[in-house]
mmCIF file of all heavy atoms in Angstrom:
data_model
loop_
_atom_site.group_PDB
_atom_site.id
_atom_site.type_symbol
_atom_site.label_atom_id
_atom_site.label_comp_id
_atom_site.label_asym_id
_atom_site.label_seq_id
_atom_site.Cartn_x
_atom_site.Cartn_y
_atom_site.Cartn_z
ATOM 1 N N PRO J 235 182.844 -75.323 12.535
ATOM 2 C CA PRO J 235 181.991 -75.515 13.710
ATOM 3 C C PRO J 235 182.748 -76.256 14.810
ATOM 4 O O PRO J 235 183.932 -76.576 14.667
ATOM 5 C CB PRO J 235 180.827 -76.363 13.168
ATOM 6 C CG PRO J 235 180.941 -76.308 11.678
ATOM 7 C CD PRO J 235 182.394 -76.093 11.383
ATOM 8 N N HIS J 236 182.046 -76.561 15.900
ATOM 9 C CA HIS J 236 182.687 -77.285 17.000
ATOM 10 C C HIS J 236 183.162 -78.668 16.515
ATOM 11 O O HIS J 236 182.653 -79.190 15.534
ATOM 12 C CB HIS J 236 181.721 -77.430 18.170
ATOM 13 C CG HIS J 236 180.509 -78.257 17.866
ATOM 14 N ND1 HIS J 236 179.335 -77.706 17.408
ATOM 15 C CD2 HIS J 236 180.279 -79.590 17.959
ATOM 16 C CE1 HIS J 236 178.431 -78.659 17.233
ATOM 17 N NE2 HIS J 236 178.973 -79.818 17.554
ATOM 18 N N PRO J 237 184.152 -79.249 17.192
ATOM 19 C CA PRO J 237 184.705 -80.533 16.759
ATOM 20 C C PRO J 237 183.603 -81.577 16.546
ATOM 21 O O PRO J 237 182.641 -81.603 17.309
ATOM 22 C CB PRO J 237 185.633 -80.926 17.920
ATOM 23 C CG PRO J 237 186.024 -79.619 18.537
ATOM 24 C CD PRO J 237 184.808 -78.750 18.422
ATOM 25 N N PRO J 238 183.758 -82.373 15.464
ATOM 26 C CA PRO J 238 184.946 -82.566 14.619
ATOM 27 C C PRO J 238 185.064 -81.599 13.450
ATOM 28 O O PRO J 238 185.895 -81.809 12.569
ATOM 29 C CB PRO J 238 184.761 -83.994 14.117
ATOM 30 C CG PRO J 238 183.284 -84.169 14.024
ATOM 31 C CD PRO J 238 182.722 -83.398 15.176
ATOM 32 N N GLY J 239 184.265 -80.572 13.387
ATOM 33 C CA GLY J 239 184.431 -79.558 12.351
ATOM 34 C C GLY J 239 183.488 -79.666 11.173
ATOM 35 O O GLY J 239 183.181 -78.670 10.543
ATOM 36 N N ASN J 240 183.050 -80.867 10.802
ATOM 37 C CA ASN J 240 182.032 -81.079 9.763
ATOM 38 C C ASN J 240 182.328 -80.352 8.449
ATOM 39 O O ASN J 240 181.495 -79.598 7.943
ATOM 40 C CB ASN J 240 180.664 -80.635 10.280
ATOM 41 C CG ASN J 240 180.415 -81.059 11.723
ATOM 42 O OD1 ASN J 240 180.504 -80.247 12.630
ATOM 43 N ND2 ASN J 240 180.141 -82.342 11.915
ATOM 44 N N PRO J 241 183.510 -80.569 7.851
ATOM 45 C CA PRO J 241 183.853 -79.826 6.631
ATOM 46 C C PRO J 241 182.942 -80.119 5.448
ATOM 47 O O PRO J 241 182.678 -79.221 4.646
ATOM 48 C CB PRO J 241 185.294 -80.268 6.342
ATOM 49 C CG PRO J 241 185.443 -81.587 7.034
ATOM 50 C CD PRO J 241 184.601 -81.465 8.271
ATOM 51 N N LEU J 242 182.475 -81.371 5.302
ATOM 52 C CA LEU J 242 181.607 -81.682 4.168
ATOM 53 C C LEU J 242 180.311 -80.892 4.249
ATOM 54 O O LEU J 242 179.867 -80.306 3.251
ATOM 55 C CB LEU J 242 181.309 -83.184 4.125
ATOM 56 C CG LEU J 242 180.389 -83.641 2.976
ATOM 57 C CD1 LEU J 242 181.027 -83.339 1.624
ATOM 58 C CD2 LEU J 242 180.077 -85.133 3.094
ATOM 59 N N PHE J 243 179.709 -80.856 5.424
ATOM 60 C CA PHE J 243 178.494 -80.066 5.590
ATOM 61 C C PHE J 243 178.755 -78.600 5.284
ATOM 62 O O PHE J 243 177.965 -77.945 4.582
ATOM 63 C CB PHE J 243 177.948 -80.195 7.013
ATOM 64 C CG PHE J 243 176.859 -79.210 7.324
ATOM 65 C CD1 PHE J 243 175.542 -79.490 6.982
ATOM 66 C CD2 PHE J 243 177.147 -77.986 7.914
ATOM 67 C CE1 PHE J 243 174.537 -78.570 7.240
ATOM 68 C CE2 PHE J 243 176.146 -77.059 8.182
ATOM 69 C CZ PHE J 243 174.827 -77.354 7.839
ATOM 70 N N THR J 244 179.845 -78.069 5.803
ATOM 71 C CA THR J 244 180.147 -76.648 5.617
ATOM 72 C C THR J 244 180.262 -76.291 4.137
ATOM 73 O O THR J 244 179.694 -75.288 3.687
ATOM 74 C CB THR J 244 181.445 -76.282 6.355
ATOM 75 O OG1 THR J 244 181.311 -76.596 7.747
ATOM 76 C CG2 THR J 244 181.746 -74.798 6.209
ATOM 77 N N VAL J 245 180.970 -77.114 3.373
ATOM 78 C CA VAL J 245 181.157 -76.836 1.947
ATOM 79 C C VAL J 245 179.841 -76.971 1.185
ATOM 80 O O VAL J 245 179.476 -76.093 0.380
ATOM 81 C CB VAL J 245 182.233 -77.774 1.355
ATOM 82 C CG1 VAL J 245 182.276 -77.643 -0.162
ATOM 83 C CG2 VAL J 245 183.590 -77.471 1.958
ATOM 84 N N LEU J 246 179.119 -78.050 1.425
ATOM 85 C CA LEU J 246 177.853 -78.269 0.715
ATOM 86 C C LEU J 246 176.836 -77.177 1.044
ATOM 87 O O LEU J 246 176.168 -76.646 0.146
ATOM 88 C CB LEU J 246 177.281 -79.643 1.068
ATOM 89 C CG LEU J 246 178.054 -80.865 0.581
ATOM 90 C CD1 LEU J 246 177.382 -82.145 1.066
ATOM 91 C CD2 LEU J 246 178.160 -80.866 -0.938
ATOM 92 N N ALA J 247 176.715 -76.855 2.326
ATOM 93 C CA ALA J 247 175.751 -75.835 2.726
ATOM 94 C C ALA J 247 176.149 -74.453 2.211
ATOM 95 O O ALA J 247 175.290 -73.637 1.845
ATOM 96 C CB ALA J 247 175.621 -75.811 4.247
ATOM 97 N N HIS J 248 177.453 -74.196 2.146
ATOM 98 C CA HIS J 248 177.911 -72.900 1.618
ATOM 99 C C HIS J 248 177.527 -72.754 0.149
ATOM 100 O O HIS J 248 177.022 -71.699 -0.265
ATOM 101 C CB HIS J 248 179.425 -72.789 1.772
ATOM 102 C CG HIS J 248 179.984 -71.511 1.211
ATOM 103 N ND1 HIS J 248 179.930 -70.313 1.879
ATOM 104 C CD2 HIS J 248 180.596 -71.254 0.012
ATOM 105 C CE1 HIS J 248 180.489 -69.370 1.140
ATOM 106 N NE2 HIS J 248 180.900 -69.910 0.007
#
Side-chain angles (χ1 to χ4, degrees):
H236 64 268
N240 318 103
L242 180 62
F243 169 85
T244 302
V245 171
L246 293 178
H248 178 79

